[in-house]
Amino acid sequence: MKSDCIRTTICQERKKDPIEMLHSGQLVKVCAPMVRYSKLAFRTLVRKYSCDLCYTPMIVAADFVRSIKARDSEFTTNKGDCPLIVQFAANDARLLSDAARIVCPYANGIDINCGCPQRWAMAEGYGACLINKPELVRDMVKQVRNQVENPRFSVSIKIRIHDDLTRTVDLCRKAEATGVSWITVHGRTAEERHQPVHYEAIKIIKENMSIPVIANGDIRNLKEAKNVWHITGTDGVMVARGLLANPAMFAGYEETPLKCIWDWVDIALELGTPYMCFHQHLMYMMEKITSRQEKRVFNALSSTSAVLDYLTDHYGI
């Protein structure tokens, strides 16, 4: 977001409107907001493999508004990074609307994180604790709507469910009445981590909404994505860990193809991805195609040149 590159980062493909996509009746395939991982380079990669819509990692709105350094480090985009949703953690309507106005020229919309179950987020009044504060969610949505002039700029929320699903349906209805563009539902409560996802709950929420709903939780391949889409009747599916393990999954690959690994190397080097991020993504991608011994060797590599030598020697990349 440095001032000398603002012109080149404005989204050039407004025709890829996520609201229209979610009303199309087709499965919309979404890359989830993942702290440290769903940054520009990874978004560029998954877009090459049939991902329709990408989210940034969660950004703390207060820091983003107050610090130019935070803006430059947390939000990077380019003209091909579209359609794009910027996800914010917020507990203050004014700060959120200020953050939304900053990113408005460079993204298709913002998302309010109402689902992160991590203790630090809950302690700060962010994330999943907001599902118990429908009035605050309403105020944040209304303030963004009032401050952002572009009527096509989307405002969405990503939530977890309550033990009492009637409370979740009530939250969603209030959000819809306030002007939310769509709702993403992770089918677990704030206390649940690895328990089975409650897809039936997502289905019930969808049946009570007029706006689009995106299903999220434990989707690991394209077949599962289509199955969840049919079971829940939702308008799209959002994937996190499944895409980390296989960025080509939305294109129908059961495991990461070597071409995708090659593409990641090219994209990461071109965009100047820090080594730890570059290496970590490769560890995820190669999980299923390497032996235990190969993992030990590869995971211990400590430089880009060592990684490139390894890939060349073992895979001819």
Side-chain angles (χ1 to χ4, degrees), residues 5-289:
C5 66
I6 279 179
R7 280 199 306 275
T8 64
T9 59
I10 292 177
C11 180
Q12 300 295 316
E13 300 184 52
R14 290 288 184 184
K15 63 181 183 292
K16 293 184 178 177
D17 187 322
I19 298 174
E20 291 180 5
M21 290 163 60
L22 288 165
H23 282 282
S24 69
Q26 303 298 310
L27 170 61
V28 179
K29 302 180 287 291
V30 186
C31 177
M34 293 177 277
V35 175
R36 294 187 301 277
Y37 295 121
S38 52
K39 296 193 174 183
L40 175 60
F42 188 69
R43 298 195 302 265
T44 303
L45 179 66
V46 296
R47 290 187 196 279
K48 286 178 69 76
Y49 290 90
S50 302
C51 184
D52 299 312
L53 176 62
C54 290
Y55 282 53
T56 67
M58 180 182 74
I59 299 169
V60 176
D63 296 341
F64 190 79
V65 169
R66 293 167 181 157
S67 167
I68 294 174
K69 183 178 179 181
R71 293 199 287 275
D72 286 344
S73 64
E74 294 294 323
F75 181 56
T76 308
T77 187
N78 59 30
K79 64 182 180 180
D81 187 27
C82 188
L84 177 66
I85 304 300
V86 182
Q87 190 189 66
F88 285 112
N91 58 15
D92 180 280
R94 184 185 59 80
L95 284 172
L96 177 65
S97 65
D98 288 346
R101 281 192 296 149
I102 292 170
V103 301
C104 182
Y106 316 105
N108 294 77
I110 65 150
D111 183 80
I112 306 170
N113 187 317
C114 304
C116 179
Q118 294 184 39
R119 288 180 182 175
W120 74 266
M122 304 271 278
E124 294 288 338
Y126 306 140
C129 70
L130 290 175
I131 65 174
N132 299 315
K133 300 177 180 179
E135 292 78 16
L136 176 55
V137 174
R138 178 199 64 202
D139 291 346
M140 289 195 289
V141 173
K142 286 177 68 174
Q143 184 87 340
V144 174
R145 285 278 179 236
N146 290 336
Q147 292 298 317
V148 176
E149 295 180 359
N150 179 2
R152 300 303 298 172
F153 191 76
S154 66
V155 184
S156 57
I157 61 175
K158 184 174 186 290
I159 67 170
R160 285 190 171 226
I161 61 173
H162 299 86
D163 287 317
D164 178 1
L165 197 60
T166 59
R167 294 180 62 198
T168 316
V169 171
D170 181 63
L171 167 72
C172 293
R173 283 176 171 164
K174 287 177 177 175
E176 178 178 3
T178 308
V180 161
S181 307
W182 69 82
I183 298 172
T184 301
V185 183
H186 182 102
R188 292 188 176 99
T189 68
E191 292 75 32
E192 292 176 325
R193 294 296 183 271
H194 304 292
Q195 292 88 336
V197 177
H198 304 288
Y199 294 119
E200 184 63 27
I202 301 176
K203 180 175 186 282
I204 292 169
I205 292 167
K206 171 58 184 173
E207 289 170 348
N208 280 273
M209 297 290 106
S210 299
I211 56 173
V213 174
I214 297 173
N216 174 229
D218 276 3
I219 298 166
R220 289 161 293 200
N221 54 56
L222 183 58
K223 183 179 178 181
E224 287 184 5
K226 290 179 176 177
N227 190 39
V228 168
W229 180 50
H230 287 300
I231 289 171
T232 60
T234 49
D235 305 280
V237 295
M238 176 183 282
V239 178
R241 285 174 294 185
L243 278 173
L244 282 182
N246 179 9
M249 66 161 271
F250 281 145
Y253 292 92
E254 290 297 315
E255 59 185 32
T256 310
L258 291 179
K259 175 68 166 64
C260 182
I261 294 173
W262 186 3
D263 286 336
W264 169 246
V265 170
D266 288 344
I267 291 166
L269 295 181
E270 181 183 350
L271 293 177
T273 302
Y275 174 73
M276 287 199 57
C277 180
F278 169 67
H279 188 213
Q280 188 71 52
H281 273 294
L282 286 170
M283 285 192 278
Y284 278 118
M285 290 181 210
M286 296 169 64
E287 176 72 23
K288 291 184 179 178
I289 62 174

